[in-house]
């Protein structure tokens, strides 16, 4: 959180890393989580991408909040969260933002791990630890993502493949489509047995942005 990065003296560096991938608004979300609201969202959430899709393909994200039904494209989902502006949504940069792992990362991530870490072993998403990352700012970002994005309580020091991709993208100034990745993360909660209902504070934020909840 902001107090932590200020205490560590790395606030500017961390903000620059999130700005590099277009995720700066994500750092400013701080809301309470409500059990019933979170359950309503997950019990109705659907994220389905057709074989050929764009960020404008309608009705790929569906959910209910406070009794109201919502059907969004990826762009509309980003706008609802306040992750992007309408002006930015019309830019080529946004249209080309990564909705999945991109080829330069997929073909080189083992070499990238060697360059970014002190680990002598190959990258393993189930075992490689963020403590091996050379950059202390990247180590903090990983922990932040582990709790705020991945929702992991145990083994939070393990560098998951999405977290590795995000940090690599930050280092290379590659824009990543936050709304798309967040929708995919919501969907993983529904497909994994006994997965806790994570990201409740972001669901509250979404409900406020959509005007169905007033704290």
């Amino acid at each position: 959180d902001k107090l932590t990065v200020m205490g560590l003296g790395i606030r500017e560096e961390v903000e620059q890393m999130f700005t590099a991938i277009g995720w700066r608004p994500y750092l400013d979300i701080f809301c309470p989580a409500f059990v019933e609201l979170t359950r309503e969202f997950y019990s109705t959430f659907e994220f389905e991408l057709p074989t050929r899709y764009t960020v404008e393909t309608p009705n790929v994200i569906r959910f209910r909040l406070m009794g109201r039904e919502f059907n969004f494209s990826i762009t509309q989902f980003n706008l609802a969260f306040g992750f992007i502006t309408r002006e930015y949504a019309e830019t080529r940069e946004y249209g080309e933002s990564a909705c999945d792992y991109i080829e330069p990362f997929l073909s080189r991530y083992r070499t990238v791990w060697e360059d970014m870490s002190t680990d002598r072993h190959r990258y393993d998403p189930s075992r490689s630890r963020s403590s091996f990352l050379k950059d202390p700012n990247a180590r903090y970002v990983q922990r932040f993502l582990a709790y705020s994005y991945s929702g992991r309580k145990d083994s939070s020091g393990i560098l998951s493949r999405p977290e590795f991709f995000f940090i690599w993208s930050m280092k290379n100034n590659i824009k990543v489509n936050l709304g798309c990745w967040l929708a995919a993360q919501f969907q993983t909660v529904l497909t994994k047995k006994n997965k806790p209902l994570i990201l409740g504070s972001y669901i509250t934020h979404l409900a406020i942005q959509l005007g169905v909840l007033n704290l």
Side-chain angles (χ1 to χ4, degrees):
D1 57 25
K2 288 185 178 181
L3 291 177
T4 302
V5 295
M6 289 177 67
L8 294 172
I10 59 172
R11 177 175 178 175
E12 184 176 348
E13 290 82 355
V14 168
E15 288 183 351
Q16 287 175 350
M17 291 177 72
F18 277 87
T19 299
I21 62 172
W23 286 29
R24 180 61 186 82
Y26 190 68
L27 289 176
D28 293 329
I29 296 176
F30 185 75
C31 292
F34 299 104
V35 173
E36 293 304 323
L37 188 72
T38 303
R39 286 176 174 170
E40 179 188 27
F41 178 83
Y42 276 111
S43 67
T44 58
F45 185 80
E46 296 178 70
F47 179 43
E48 296 178 308
L49 290 177
T51 303
R52 294 183 179 181
Y53 74 91
T54 70
V55 291
E56 305 297 342
T57 301
N59 304 327
V60 296
I61 299 171
R62 298 178 291 277
F63 58 90
R64 187 178 70 232
L65 281 174
M66 300 295 289
R68 284 187 55 185
E69 305 282 345
F70 295 93
N71 299 275
F72 287 152
S73 66
I74 293 171
T75 296
Q76 289 171 327
F77 196 54
N78 275 301
L79 288 167
F81 264 106
F83 293 150
I84 61 173
T85 63
R86 294 190 181 278
E87 292 76 17
Y88 183 67
E90 298 175 358
T91 64
R92 180 175 179 179
E93 181 179 80
Y94 167 73
E96 294 178 349
S97 58
C99 284
D100 202 345
Y101 302 108
I102 59 177
E103 194 280 332
F105 175 78
L106 289 174
S107 62
R108 293 187 60 247
Y109 72 87
R110 287 188 173 88
T111 303
V112 169
W113 178 243
E114 294 176 2
D115 294 338
M116 291 176 59
S117 78
T118 59
D119 191 4
R120 293 178 296 174
H121 301 92
R122 286 189 172 185
Y123 172 72
D124 182 338
S126 64
R127 299 180 62 183
S128 297
R129 303 190 67 84
S130 62
S131 57
F132 286 113
L133 291 168
K134 296 176 183 177
D135 182 0
N137 300 319
R139 293 198 294 270
Y140 172 81
V141 167
Q142 185 278 326
R143 288 304 179 98
F144 175 82
L145 291 171
Y147 288 107
S148 71
Y149 174 85
S150 303
R152 284 184 281 133
K153 302 302 181 185
D154 300 319
S155 302
S156 60
I158 300 298
L159 182 65
S160 70
R161 185 163 292 164
E163 293 161 5
F164 187 15
F165 174 64
F166 300 151
I167 291 172
W168 174 81
S169 298
M170 290 173 180
K171 297 289 186 181
N172 290 276
N173 292 300
I174 293 171
K175 294 297 183 285
V176 177
N177 193 302
L178 176 53
C180 188
W181 282 89
L182 192 59
Q185 185 68 344
F186 285 133
Q187 189 67 32
T188 62
V189 174
L190 305 178
T191 58
K192 292 184 179 180
K193 187 177 181 180
N194 298 324
K195 179 82 171 180
L197 300 184
I198 62 174
L199 297 166
S201 61
Y202 295 91
I203 294 169
T204 301
H205 172 80
L206 178 59
I208 294 169
Q209 290 290 106
L210 292 171
V212 297
L213 179 65
N214 187 334
L215 295 185

